[in-house]
Amino acid sequence: MPEPGEISPDALQQRLERILLGGKRKYTRLEVAEKAGVPEERSRRLWRALGFATVDDDEVVFTDADIEAIRTADQLMNSGLIDPSIELAVTRALGQHLSRLAEWQVHMLWTMITENKEIGSSERQIGRLVERLLPELEKVQEFVWRRHLAAYAGRAMALPDEDLEARTEVVGFVDMVGYTRLTRQVDEDELTDILDRFESVATEVIADHHGRIVKMIGDEVLFVADSAVDGAEIALALSERADADETLPSVRAGLASGRILSRFGDVYGSVVNLAARLTSTARPGTILVDKELAAELSEFPQFEIRTRRPVSVRGYNRLRPSSLRRARDRPSGMFASSQQLAAEMLGLADATPAPASAPVPEDVPDEVEDAAADSTPPRPRPKRRRRR
């Protein structure tokens, strides 16, 4: 029993439930189905697909708002707007995305309550806070949703002949190197700061270069871009930002281009798998691209593409990646000819230099490629904090 002046957890839970659920729990699942005019089995499938726990037929857990929600969902399904074959998949996607959003919002709210003694001093104060914040959160969510609708609708209208589910895109993975080891060396607060910083940098860079985040997977971000240049710029900029940020480990990246299947906010297909495999074979601070993307990027002088030796990874016996860098300025003046002559004598360059973006011959070892390309010393990496 709570002490005088303490908040009763049960009373607080009931108050928050009434605010968030739009009323008091007073119906069973069967009663909701009957009042909404929805077949009982259909209501059960929708409830499960939304990600909610299965409840017994006699449990009183539903409100008036649930009746309206089930009725509205049923009308939407019956309108013909959503194909019956994907009805449950659409419902699952909606439940999964909103579940993650709700978890973050509750964490934010609870942090605010626990850090502010005046707000957290009484059930009534907490209730008032939630009642005040809820409409504001709903407004922001609707605004963001409408903006994303407008953005995707604009792309769809601009390319009316393109299949929105299966289209050609650049797929990229960027992940932090040594993340597993890092989790054993830092505490939870520091790990949270690192993940927050990585997500913040990734979000900024991908948005700046017209890409779209598919999902954040712990230490890794999966993104897509419409053009080869945008995809390359995202990977390069993320690598550069990580190098310049002392709070972040180095990153590595893998990019591939081709047809992908886009389904309920996620992407699938061999191109996605190939980008993941390239990331797994990349060294810290490097970016690997597949053959198709290398060919596209070789047309742009701002990039340097170098063919690497074949590697064997799961699903690909002889995967031949290429490394991606920004093109470096070629030496000029009195030193240019001497550097070229020295490279020729060492067998590291042809008599006629190739453009900066031309792929290096396939039989040249990686170490020789690096030595031949680096006519200027690389920029030193920033010192990193030693973690204990």
Side-chain angles (χ1 to χ4, degrees):
M1 186 172 181
E3 297 292 330
E6 288 187 356
I7 300 174
S8 165
D10 291 339
L12 177 58
Q13 180 182 0
Q14 292 173 11
R15 184 181 184 90
L16 291 180
E17 277 191 355
R18 286 195 297 272
I19 296 171
L20 297 173
L21 297 180
K24 189 176 180 181
R25 297 176 186 255
K26 53 185 180 181
Y27 302 113
T28 67
R29 187 182 61 79
L30 295 178
E31 289 172 335
V32 168
E34 181 182 357
K35 289 179 179 294
V38 177
E40 180 270 331
E41 183 57 34
R42 185 184 184 86
S43 69
R44 184 198 300 270
R45 289 199 307 269
L46 290 173
W47 181 258
R48 286 175 174 170
L50 285 169
F52 299 125
T54 302
V55 296
D56 294 333
D57 291 344
D58 59 351
E59 283 191 73
V60 179
V61 297
F62 298 97
T63 70
D64 290 314
D66 291 310
I67 296 174
E68 186 60 31
I70 289 291
R71 182 185 294 124
T72 302
D74 186 61
Q75 291 172 350
L76 180 62
M77 300 302 179
N78 291 331
S79 68
L81 182 63
I82 299 176
D83 191 301
S85 65
I86 63 170
E87 170 186 308
L88 292 182
V90 170
T91 308
R92 280 195 298 270
L94 182 66
Q96 290 168 8
H97 288 296
L98 292 183
S99 173
R100 294 184 63 188
L101 178 63
E103 181 181 4
W104 166 76
Q105 289 173 339
V106 168
H107 181 267
M108 177 189 69
L109 176 63
W110 195 245
T111 300
M112 183 185 301
I113 291 171
T114 54
E115 292 181 353
N116 191 319
K117 293 183 179 180
E118 290 184 5
I119 294 176
S121 61
S122 73
E123 170 201 326
R124 186 183 299 268
Q125 287 280 67
I126 295 174
R128 286 176 177 171
L129 171 65
V130 174
E131 287 178 323
R132 191 170 68 249
L133 282 180
L134 197 59
E136 301 303 318
L137 285 174
E138 288 176 341
K139 288 179 184 177
V140 171
Q141 286 170 193
E142 182 177 4
F143 166 76
V144 175
W145 171 64
R146 287 181 176 273
R147 290 295 301 183
H148 280 298
L149 276 181
Y152 280 97
R155 292 181 62 246
M157 297 303 110
L159 300 168
D161 298 328
E162 183 177 310
D163 185 347
L164 294 180
E165 285 197 345
R167 61 188 187 275
T168 299
E169 293 266 59
V170 175
V171 178
F173 285 89
V174 178
D175 74 358
M176 291 188 285
V177 177
Y179 176 76
T180 302
R181 183 175 64 255
L182 182 64
T183 59
R184 298 194 295 264
Q185 297 174 342
V186 300
D187 58 29
E188 291 181 0
D189 289 340
E190 189 170 3
L191 182 60
T192 298
D193 290 341
I194 292 170
L195 290 173
D196 285 346
R197 181 59 184 157
F198 179 64
E199 290 186 10
S200 176
V201 170
T203 301
E204 291 174 13
V205 169
I206 293 171
D208 286 346
H209 296 286
H210 315 292
R212 297 177 301 286
I213 292 178
V214 177
K215 56 188 172 184
M216 303 291 302
I217 316 168
D219 62 323
E220 186 173 56
V221 59
L222 166 59
F223 68 89
V224 294
D226 291 336
S227 74
V229 171
D230 286 337
E233 287 291 347
I234 288 170
L236 288 164
L238 269 174
S239 181
E240 291 161 357
R241 290 281 295 272
D243 269 354
D245 193 323
E246 293 188 359
T247 65
L248 290 178
S250 296
V251 300
R252 57 183 181 173
L255 303 175
S257 177
R259 298 280 287 180
I260 63 169
L261 173 64
S262 180
R263 183 175 169 83
F264 306 121
D266 210 338
V267 291
Y268 306 89
S270 61
V271 173
V272 181
N273 296 335
L274 180 54
R277 300 292 182 269
L278 288 169
T279 306
S280 68
T281 61
R283 296 193 297 265
T286 63
I287 301 166
L288 297 182
V289 302
D290 73 331
K291 182 171 63 176
E292 285 72 18
L293 187 55
E296 289 187 69
L297 293 176
S298 65
E299 302 295 324
F300 297 90
Q302 66 266 41
F303 303 122
E304 181 180 278
I305 305 297
R306 300 197 224 151
T307 305
R308 297 292 188 178
R309 289 173 294 186
V311 294
S312 295
V313 296
R314 184 161 57 91
Y316 299 89
N317 291 329
R318 285 181 61 82
L319 177 61
R320 189 179 292 278
S322 296
S323 64
L324 167 68
R325 289 189 193 180
R326 293 199 187 280
R328 303 183 181 213
D329 293 335
R330 292 191 170 276
S332 59
M334 61 182 294
F335 295 105
S337 58
S338 60
Q339 289 186 2
Q340 175 66 21
L341 178 60
E344 291 171 21
M345 293 176 64
L346 292 172
L348 301 179
D350 297 329
T352 303
S357 58
V360 176
E362 296 177 352
D363 57 346
V364 177
D366 294 350
E367 294 78 7
V368 176
E369 293 176 27
D370 292 336
D374 294 339
S375 57
T376 57
R379 178 173 58 86
R381 292 177 57 83
K383 293 182 179 179
R384 306 236 181 247
R385 262 185 332 197
R386 179 166 299 195
R387 307 188 188 281
R388 300 187 180 275

